[in-house]
Amino acid sequence: MDSLVIVDAANVVGSVPDGWWRDRHGAAERLRDALPGYAAEGLPGLVPPPLELVLVVEGAARGVESVEGVRVVAATGSGDDRIVQLVADEAADRDCLVVTADRELRDRVQALGARVTGPRAVWGRGRGAGPA
């Protein structure tokens, strides 16, 4: 079974002060568009291919659509709560990595057996260009 990688969109987008707050929906779309290559190529040093990528959006980014290689899940409430629920529901029998810098969220998903890494794992290389 493919590994599961869950990306905390609000936290990853918010990790770079590039004006994302003026267009939260557009910022989430740019992040989504940077992710598909990882589904086939993996996250070097963290998750080998193939993997399932899930981008969790909330608030103004809720209308962001899925694309090939990236399933977008809209949180109806807290994005953190939705991520924890996804880990609980979908990661029981497979490797799961959550991409976030949120300390409380990291603790919550690690308690369920997920691994964690920071935003640079998906957003640092090529700044939106996806894997090199």
Side-chain angles (χ1 to χ4, degrees), residues 22 48 53 58 76 96 102 120:
R22 290 187 293 267
L53 263 164
E58 60 185 289
T76 55
C96 179
D102 182 303
R120 287 189 180 198

Side-chain angles (χ1 to χ4, degrees), residues 38-97:
Y38 296 118
E41 298 176 20
L43 287 168
L46 294 170
V47 182
L51 56 91
E52 178 184 2
L53 263 164
V54 178
L55 179 66
V56 176
V57 297
E58 60 185 289
R62 280 193 192 114
V64 172
E65 299 288 330
S66 296
V67 296
E68 186 173 341
V70 181
R71 175 170 49 119
V72 178
V73 174
T76 55
S78 159
D80 290 0
D81 290 346
R82 186 65 179 112
I83 290 168
V84 170
Q85 190 64 50
L86 282 167
V87 171
D89 291 348
E90 299 187 23
D93 297 328
R94 62 178 166 164
D95 178 46
C96 179
L97 178 72

Side-chain angles (χ1 to χ4, degrees), residues 7 27 44 64 84 110 116 125 130:
V7 180
V64 172
V84 170
Q110 285 177 316
V116 295
R125 296 187 314 238

